Amino acid sequence: MAKKVEEVKIEPIKIEEAVVTIVGDSPLIVHNFDEKTKRQLLEISMQKAKKPREPKNPVEDFIRSLHWLTPMPTEFTEEAFEEAIKNGARFGFPSVGVKASAVSGAYRGGYTKDKVSINGAFHIIGEFITINGSVPKMREDMCRVGMGAPDIRYRGEYSEWSMTFVIRYNKSAYSLEQILNFINLGGFSVGIGEWRPEKGGNNGMFHIAETK
């Protein structure tokens, strides 16, 4: 007698979109790896001879720490930064950082046994998300690189901020409500940017304020 073949039903992919707005519950600290920093890291990895350490320029470090959506000033001075702000400078944050926060939040909250399935369940459109809110200000922090000597870092901070972005998700895998819960979990337990909860701080926390 021929064996009965069981029919495997595969649910069709149902792609939908939603517009999500998140609002910061604590200041957002950013640290962009600009071309200068990338070049320095490359030189270290290639074991090039160390150059004399350049004198710190706090304003330059601050300006370079921001993710510029409009052209970055060619002069690293307070006057040049203020002029850029006056001319409508816009800043953003990497969308992968917001998504990683949601994925990590879902994993830490026990809603998934692995991060891979959540990573494939939804996507945030665009490489950068525009930051709306206060003008970034320069902050000074003491930090340690690896096990090395202490160092002073100058980075941008947004005391008040919000972001609006579009997500595409597979409704067959997770509902919109579930994905929004993942994002809220990420905002509370993981955060984004520097000194976030995931790294022992309390910056970069957020919650969903609106969904369309």
Side-chain angles (χ1 to χ4, degrees), residues 103 105-118 174 182:
V103 171
Y107 179 73
R108 289 168 181 267
Y111 291 92
T112 178
K113 294 181 179 180
D114 64 88
K115 295 184 178 181
V116 177
S117 57
I118 303 294
Y174 293 95
F182 298 158

Side-chain angles (χ1 to χ4, degrees), residues 3 23 31 36 56-57 67 83 101 115 121 143 163-164 175 182-183:
K3 291 183 178 180
V23 174
H31 187 190
K36 179 182 178 182
K56 273 192 176 294
N57 180 344
H67 298 275
E83 184 66 23
S101 173
K115 295 184 178 181
C143 58
M163 301 180 196
T164 297
S175 68
F182 298 158
I183 295 174

Side-chain angles (χ1 to χ4, degrees), residues 53 56 141-145 147-153:
R53 192 167 185 176
K56 273 192 176 294
D141 293 307
M142 291 295 298
C143 58
R144 190 181 295 274
V145 180
M147 299 299 291
D151 192 16
I152 302 177
R153 295 290 174 85

Side-chain angles (χ1 to χ4, degrees), residues 19-25 98 132 161-165 180-181 183-185 187 205-212:
V19 180
V20 179
T21 297
I22 60 175
V23 174
D25 295 319
V98 177
N132 300 306
W161 59 278
S162 67
M163 301 180 196
T164 297
F165 50 89
L180 296 180
N181 283 336
I183 295 174
N184 268 329
L185 272 170
M205 299 173 66
F206 61 87
H207 68 275
I208 294 176
E210 185 180 15
T211 307
K212 297 180 181 178

